Amino acid sequence: MAVSNRESIRTRMARLMTGVALCACFLTAGAALAQDASSDEKLQLSSDELVYNRDSEVVTATGAVQIHYNGYSMVAQRVDYDQRTGRMSARGHIELIEPDGNRIYADNLDITDNFASGFLNGLRVETIDNTRLAAESGERIDEDTMVLNNGVYTACLPCASDPQRAPLWQVKAERVVQNGKTRTIRLEKARVEAFGVPIAFVPAMEVPDHTVKRKSGFLFPRMSLTENLGFGASVPYYWAFSNHADATFTATGYTSQGVLLEGEFRQRFENGEHTLRVAGINQMRSEMFTSNTSDAEKDLRGLVASKGEFHFNPRWAFGWNAMLQSDNNFARTYDIEGLNDTFHTNQAYLTGKGDRNYFDARAYYFDVQDADTNNDAEKRQAIVSPVIDYRYIAPEAVAGGELSANFNFTNISRTNADINAALSKNGYRGLSGVNTRMTGEIEWQRTYTTPQGLLLTPILAARGDLHGLDVNTPTGYTGNFEGDGFTARTMLTAGLEARYPLLVSSSYGSHIFEPIAQVFVRPNESHAGGLPNEDAQSFVFDATNLFERDKFSGYDRIEGGTRANIGFRYTGSLDNGFTLKAIAGQSYQLAGQNSFATDDLVNAGANSGLENSVSDYVAMAGVDMPNGISLSSSVRLDKDDLDLNRTDTSIAYTSRAVQASLTYTRINSQPEYGDKKDNDVIQNTTSLRLNDNWSLFGAVTWDINSDVLTRRGLGFSYTDECMIFSMAFSETRDASNEKANDWTVGARLSFRTLGDVDLGADTFDTFIE
């Protein structure tokens, strides 16, 4: 071969290899692969034989041809370049490996040297993320357009035992058009198959190629099936109208109620983001809902919701979440994602976090979603505007100990009084009017260790409250209520905690036994029961708060009088893998007025086990076993006869194949607290993995006293490397919580790289948690 022709051959071979890359890769934009033929990158060519025919002006490389250029590698049995026609061809088991690892296979290739047009046969593409494409033939129309004929796309790996068997899912299209300018892939006359069976026919669909992160277009449809809405099919459209803003528009057609329209607009900023959502429907058959409900009485229904969060700097953040709807149940009835809870919390907040301090300011409005048009539950909810919390821990030791401070400001207003009619006498969970409170508290504590190992911790605390009240006086309340004007109260506490941890080591493990005794000396709670109680109502005495200085959960009540707490803690770690833990003890009112035995607007301390000078016994214990079994129990036993007043006992098992838990809860009747009957409930959740792909899951809640299954569900799922299919049924029975739909069927079919087809997917999510 003449030396003068070698540079021409090198250039042509470079173009040939690049042409293969341009034409063969269906998943890559052509412009991104184009290389400058005059590049200084060296081409490496090897073959069994290289021939240049001067008469026909054809360069031919045959026999194990290997070409390496600019990160690309190609092998073929034969490569020809015709200088007169300007066409290049390759044939015989062509394989091209791109720099990113994608592999392209073809039987033969024919293309012009300026890449203007060409075709190939027997195309296969395997990407590094295990997606695959095959086509009978392909043709390059121009620099930006390529067309494949009879293409098949899938993200499933071939069957190891039978590679010729159809994948679990695939998309077949008569014509596939890839546009390098718009970076889109258009599938014409497409057919989606699952398990070898066609499940959807689409005349045409257009999706972005793999170089695009965000692209406008239709998303996979979703489906649902509910009792009063009927069958629903949703068609979402995604619109990316800028690099920092996009939107999703969804039309859902229900067989029973018509078309629901939804829009979600998202805007991202340098320091945060904002989302605006709208939805609406004009119901066709409102009479299908229960009569005299908001679902039945309104035809035109809708909502507007807004959510945002912004970070001023790494420590400070501001945000909000608000919803306004036409009636009190629209979002829940139509299962608007993120807005369908029974209680939707509208709020705005400002938070700041430091190394040793914390600030939080929030305003709340609680939207009660209930189908009962006569229900005034929302008017009985507190409007909080605002509640401010600040906590500070001194960075340096003060008198050798830790000094901390808390501040809370709360302003609450309410339209209607929230009365608990279950009490023998009126119990007011909230009073109508305005209630304002400001609280400041400081605490100091330091731990001393004696030579014998005894740990002594003195505790000093001081607190002050100022209440501003303009509320309606509760009717029939026997306490000395002070509901008008300003009221101040203080509390000074001196306490001492003694702990004596004992470490016991043996040949089979180690144990720590820790007897604990506390005493807190303080005056009686001033204005006990005479002020509103908004944040300390849910009171449970158990082992978790046995050693708390103030066992009330909020600020509105203060534990007063002199009290002692005595008990012990135990932890054990055995060499065979068992882990043990336990807490047990009792509390004593030594002097002064017992705050848990005083009148209260909600009887917060009644039937708690602390209302007597000697409390009930409380204990909790747990064991974790190396075989995956765990046991835990929390009990409160009557101080006189050890009757079981309250318990939460559960057993759980976790392994690769099984995850199961069984919980028994018993709460004795608390008539003064509003519970007139015993509550005994058993709850179970189970997930069974049958093999690497198939799983079963279920959940059930049994009210023993009423002999009713208040909640039950059952489902299954199939999962592999390319798809997920799941289906679940759930039913809820609760007369006190009326719902538009008592049962729901949920299913999800998810194709990797393509998207999801949902049928009530929220149901599935609930039962796999």
Side-chain angles (χ1 to χ4, degrees):
M1 181 172 60
V3 175
S4 60
N5 290 324
R6 291 179 180 174
E7 179 63 26
S8 175
I9 292 174
R10 186 188 73 81
T11 302
R12 300 306 184 189
M13 287 298 179
R15 289 184 175 179
L16 172 62
M17 194 285 306
T18 307
V20 174
L22 285 166
C23 295
C25 186
F26 163 73
L27 295 178
T28 306
L33 289 176
Q35 304 291 335
D36 185 358
S38 63
S39 169
D40 292 334
E41 180 74 23
K42 292 184 179 180
L43 177 142
Q44 297 179 1
L45 169 67
S46 67
S47 65
D48 294 342
E49 184 178 25
L50 182 64
V51 177
Y52 175 60
N53 190 321
R54 289 180 178 275
D55 297 331
S56 62
E57 299 184 42
V58 174
V59 180
T60 302
T62 58
V65 180
Q66 297 185 29
I67 301 174
H68 304 278
Y69 179 75
N70 201 27
Y72 292 86
S73 298
M74 188 186 78
V75 297
Q77 292 299 312
R78 181 185 179 100
V79 176
D80 297 286
Y81 172 65
D82 190 329
Q83 290 181 309
R84 289 181 301 180
T85 63
R87 298 198 69 87
M88 299 176 287
S89 65
R91 61 181 60 89
H93 304 294
I94 300 171
E95 178 180 354
L96 174 69
I97 302 177
E98 297 182 300
D100 59 6
N102 293 337
R103 294 177 178 269
I104 300 122
Y105 304 89
D107 293 335
N108 55 69
L109 165 84
D110 194 320
I111 191 171
T112 59
D113 61 358
N114 63 355
F115 320 130
S117 62
F119 63 87
L120 54 95
N121 291 321
L123 168 69
R124 289 186 299 117
V125 179
E126 297 179 1
T127 66
I128 56 175
D129 64 347
N130 290 328
T131 57
R132 284 164 167 74
L133 171 75
E136 291 182 359
S137 62
E139 181 179 3
R140 185 174 180 79
I141 304 301
D142 54 39
E143 182 179 353
D144 298 307
T145 307
M146 181 176 175
V147 178
L148 301 180
N149 300 311
N150 295 326
V152 179
Y153 173 79
T154 184
C156 300
L157 295 175
C159 177
S161 60
D162 185 7
Q164 300 303 317
R165 191 173 69 181
L168 292 177
W169 70 263
Q170 59 186 0
V171 180
K172 294 181 178 179
E174 290 188 10
R175 191 167 183 265
V176 181
V177 181
Q178 189 252 342
N179 191 314
K181 281 187 177 180
T182 61
R183 296 190 291 179
T184 58
I185 299 169
R186 180 178 174 84
L187 304 174
E188 299 178 355
K189 296 183 179 180
R191 181 176 65 190
V192 181
E193 296 183 356
F195 301 100
V197 178
I199 61 173
F201 295 90
V202 183
M205 59 185 299
E206 189 172 88
V207 297
D209 64 27
H210 84 293
T211 65
V212 177
K213 295 182 179 180
R214 300 166 64 247
K215 186 72 174 178
S216 299
F218 286 98
L219 305 178
F220 258 71
R222 299 190 303 267
M223 288 168 281
S224 63
L225 179 63
T226 52
E227 185 178 0
N228 294 321
L229 305 181
F231 175 78
S234 302
V235 180
Y237 181 83
Y238 175 75
W239 181 22
F241 47 85
S242 73
N243 291 332
H244 48 78
D246 54 26
T248 302
F249 301 95
T250 305
T252 303
Y254 290 103
T255 56
S256 298
Q257 299 302 336
V259 179
L260 171 71
L261 298 178
E262 298 177 73
E264 181 173 340
F265 307 87
R266 297 167 292 269
Q267 176 82 39
R268 286 164 292 279
F269 302 90
E270 183 177 352
N271 61 343
E273 61 183 359
H274 171 244
T275 301
L276 176 66
R277 302 179 63 181
V278 295
I281 189 174
N282 189 5
Q283 296 181 155
M284 295 189 310
R285 300 175 63 189
S286 301
E287 67 276 5
M288 290 192 64
F289 296 102
T290 304
S291 59
N292 299 320
T293 64
S294 55
D295 295 308
E297 293 189 358
K298 282 186 175 292
D299 294 333
L300 187 61
R301 309 175 71 185
L303 65 80
V304 177
S306 175
K307 184 178 181 179
E309 183 172 35
F310 294 87
H311 295 268
F312 305 125
N313 55 47
R315 294 190 174 188
W316 287 92
F318 169 72
W320 69 90
N321 184 3
M323 176 183 69
L324 178 64
Q325 55 181 343
S326 58
D327 57 83
N328 59 344
N329 208 43
F330 169 69
R332 193 169 69 125
T333 298
Y334 285 90
D335 200 23
I336 308 297
E337 184 178 358
L339 304 173
N340 53 0
D341 293 335
T342 304
F343 294 90
H344 178 75
T345 303
N346 299 274
Q347 65 172 308
Y349 60 88
L350 172 67
T351 62
K353 296 180 180 180
D355 294 334
R356 300 181 69 84
N357 57 0
Y358 171 77
F359 175 87
D360 185 270
R362 293 177 185 262
Y364 295 97
Y365 180 85
F366 301 99
D367 193 345
V368 180
Q369 301 199 71
D370 192 293
D372 185 359
T373 56
N374 297 319
N375 193 341
D376 67 342
E378 190 164 318
K379 294 182 179 181
R380 291 187 272 114
Q381 294 298 310
I383 302 174
V384 184
S385 59
V387 56
I388 300 173
D389 285 289
Y390 178 74
R391 178 169 175 79
Y392 171 81
I393 300 176
E396 304 293 337
V398 177
E402 180 185 81
L403 181 67
S404 62
N406 284 320
F407 172 82
N408 175 268
F409 175 83
T410 301
N411 182 73
I412 290 176
S413 61
R414 183 180 279 102
T415 303
N416 293 353
D418 186 3
I419 302 175
N420 185 0
L423 294 179
S424 56
K425 52 187 177 182
N426 285 341
Y428 288 83
R429 288 176 292 219
L431 300 173
S432 58
V434 179
N435 173 16
T436 303
R437 177 187 41 76
M438 183 168 58
T439 298
E441 183 178 38
I442 59 173
E443 181 185 69
W444 175 90
Q445 59 180 345
R446 179 181 179 180
T447 299
Y448 298 89
T449 305
T450 68
Q452 295 77 24
L454 179 65
L455 303 179
L456 297 174
T457 303
I459 302 171
L460 299 176
R463 170 176 161 173
D465 299 272
L466 180 62
H467 287 259
L469 302 174
D470 184 12
V471 297
N472 293 324
T473 302
T475 303
Y477 178 59
T478 57
N480 185 21
F481 184 75
E482 305 171 23
D484 190 16
F486 290 93
T487 302
R489 65 180 179 182
T490 60
M491 177 63 69
L492 299 175
T493 302
L496 178 65
E497 178 184 82
R499 295 182 289 123
Y500 191 62
L502 300 172
L503 175 62
V504 178
S505 297
S506 65
S507 58
Y508 54 85
S510 60
H511 310 265
I512 299 177
F513 299 90
E514 188 177 29
I516 302 174
Q518 295 176 325
V519 61
F520 296 103
V521 180
R522 55 204 163 194
N524 295 335
E525 177 187 8
S526 58
H527 308 287
L531 300 171
N533 180 3
E534 296 279 0
D535 65 355
Q537 299 181 1
S538 179
F539 180 75
V540 175
F541 174 49
D542 57 24
T544 61
N545 58 13
L546 171 63
F547 299 112
E548 292 290 332
R549 171 171 59 87
D550 188 342
K551 295 179 177 57
F552 283 113
S553 57
Y555 288 99
D556 284 338
R557 291 295 306 270
I558 307 175
E559 185 178 344
T562 300
R563 179 173 288 276
N565 305 309
I566 297 177
F568 75 94
R569 273 196 294 253
Y570 163 78
T571 58
S573 179
L574 307 183
D575 294 340
N576 58 8
F578 280 70
T579 301
L580 311 172
K581 55 187 177 182
I583 302 175
Q586 196 174 25
S587 185
Y588 304 87
Q589 185 75 23
L590 301 181
Q593 185 183 30
N594 186 346
S595 295
F596 303 102
T598 59
D599 285 335
D600 182 278
L601 283 168
V602 293
N603 286 342
N607 309 122
S608 66
L610 285 169
E611 66 274 16
N612 299 307
S613 58
V614 178
S615 77
D616 286 347
Y617 297 98
V618 291
M620 63 182 298
V623 56
D624 295 324
M625 305 180 190
N627 59 4
I629 297 177
S630 61
L631 300 169
S632 64
S633 181
S634 175
V635 300
R636 177 164 65 87
L637 305 176
D638 190 271
K639 64 181 180 61
D640 296 321
D641 53 18
L642 299 183
D643 280 350
L644 185 63
N645 288 328
R646 184 185 183 100
T647 183
D648 286 288
T649 301
S650 65
I651 179 172
Y653 175 71
T654 302
S655 69
R656 184 178 182 274
V658 180
Q659 291 185 349
S661 66
L662 182 66
T663 301
Y664 168 67
T665 300
R666 175 180 176 81
I667 304 175
N668 274 3
S669 62
Q670 300 173 284
E672 294 185 31
Y673 195 53
D675 295 325
K676 297 181 178 180
K677 64 178 183 178
D678 296 342
N679 292 303
D680 293 87
V681 176
I682 292 179
Q683 295 175 294
N684 168 256
T685 60
T686 301
S687 175
L688 177 62
R689 185 175 181 178
L690 302 177
N691 53 39
D692 290 339
N693 304 114
W694 290 95
S695 297
L696 296 175
F697 52 88
V700 63
T701 300
W702 179 29
D703 185 337
I704 298 175
N705 298 320
S706 301
D707 194 21
V708 172
L709 294 178
T710 59
R711 178 175 178 260
R712 58 181 175 174
L714 181 66
F716 68 89
S717 68
Y718 174 87
T719 304
D720 61 22
E721 80 284 348
C722 65
M723 71 174 290
I724 298 174
F725 175 68
S726 59
M727 180 172 287
F729 166 81
S730 69
E731 183 180 23
T732 301
R733 297 180 63 185
D734 187 353
S736 64
N737 185 16
E738 184 179 353
K739 296 181 63 176
N741 305 296
D742 294 325
W743 59 264
T744 304
V745 175
R748 172 181 295 169
L749 181 59
S750 176
F751 300 113
R752 185 172 73 87
T753 73
L754 287 185
D756 298 342
V757 178
D758 292 341
L759 175 61
D762 285 345
T763 299
F764 171 67
D765 293 337
T766 300
F767 282 95
I768 64 173
E769 290 179 353

